Structure formats: structure tokens, C-alpha cells
């Protein structure tokens, strides 16, 4: 699909949407949980990233409702978004496997 490396915030957002559509606040909570509290997205950062991912066709608006007079969008991964996430997941897994292999080799020679 692409040889472009996905930055961590994008990876976390795509991962947060991999199992179910979510609205903004739920995405922020998922990102924090997935990153084990390491990443806390601010509202402006989140919605800027969501707009970018919408423009790239990696996510779409699954549903839009009005709650207390405000539009509430629920986002979902697109087919392309799933493909990018799968590709990036495999790239990271391959890197991790190689790191583990080299660490083991280093233990033998140390």
C-alpha cells in the first residue's frame, strides 16, 4: 500500500478505531489506554488529526447525531485505513522481532 512510516499519534488513532467506531472523547480515552497513559491527546490535536485522516481517506464519519444542540460525530476506519494499520503493524512487528533476535545474540557474546 504505502512505504510511508506512520507516526505514533496516527498509529494510536487508527488502533483506537480498529475494533469499533468511536466519537472524539472515546478516541482520546482509547489512545490513553492503548499507550498506557503515555499519550494524552488534546482536543485540538485530536480533531486536527481526525480531519487529516478524513482527508486521506483512512477514516470516515460513521454517524453524526445532535446531542444537546451539538453535532457529535462517530468515526470508523475505512478499508484503506485498515490496510495502512495492518501494514504498519507488520512493519513494527518485524522490527521488534529483529530487535529481540539481536538482543539474544548480544547475550550469547556478552
Amino acid at each position: 500500500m504505502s512505504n510511508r512510516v506512520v507516526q505514533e499519534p496516527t498509529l494510536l488513532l487508527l488502533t483506537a478505531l480498529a475494533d469499533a467506531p468511536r466519537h472524539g472523547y472515546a478516541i482520546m480515552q482509547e489512545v490513553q489506554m492503548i499507550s498506557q497513559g503515555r499519550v494524552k491527546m488534546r482536543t485540538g490535536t485530536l480533531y486536527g488529526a481526525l480531519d487529516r485522516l478524513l482527508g486521506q481517506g483512512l477514516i470516515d464519519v460513521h454517524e453524526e447525531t445532535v446531542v444537546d444542540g451539538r453535532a457529535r460525530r462517530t468515526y470508523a476506519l475505512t478499508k484503506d485505513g485498515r490496510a495502512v494499520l495492518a501494514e504498519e503493524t507488520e512493519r513494527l512487528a518485524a522490527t521488534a522481532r529483529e530487535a529481540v533476535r539481536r538482543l539474544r545474540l548480544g547475550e550469547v557474546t556478552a
Side-chain angles (χ1 to χ4, degrees):
M1 176 120 215
S2 165
N3 289 327
R4 183 173 58 98
V5 173
V6 175
Q7 298 298 313
E8 185 180 29
T10 300
L11 177 65
L12 291 168
L13 286 173
L14 295 176
T15 301
L17 293 171
D19 60 341
R22 290 188 166 79
H23 57 79
Y25 183 71
I27 294 170
M28 287 191 308
Q29 290 178 312
E30 287 293 311
V31 164
Q32 189 170 350
M33 188 212 44
I34 293 164
S35 70
Q36 298 175 353
R38 209 173 27 81
V39 176
K40 295 177 185 175
M41 292 198 121
R42 294 176 186 235
T43 304
T45 302
L46 172 69
Y47 287 102
L50 290 172
D51 284 343
R52 183 177 48 78
L53 294 173
L54 280 165
Q56 293 173 342
L58 301 181
I59 65 171
D60 63 11
V61 176
H62 177 70
E63 183 178 57
E64 191 165 1
T65 57
V66 177
V67 178
D68 295 329
R70 296 178 59 196
R72 183 177 190 171
R73 288 181 168 181
T74 301
Y75 301 90
L77 281 184
T78 62
K79 183 178 177 183
D80 286 346
R82 287 193 171 283
V84 166
L85 180 58
E87 184 178 284
E88 184 64 8
T89 300
E90 181 50 42
R91 185 189 71 77
L92 291 169
T95 300
R97 285 190 300 272
E98 182 61 14
V100 168
R101 185 186 76 78
R102 289 174 182 233
L103 284 167
R104 288 184 181 143
L105 287 174
E107 289 173 356
V108 172
T109 61

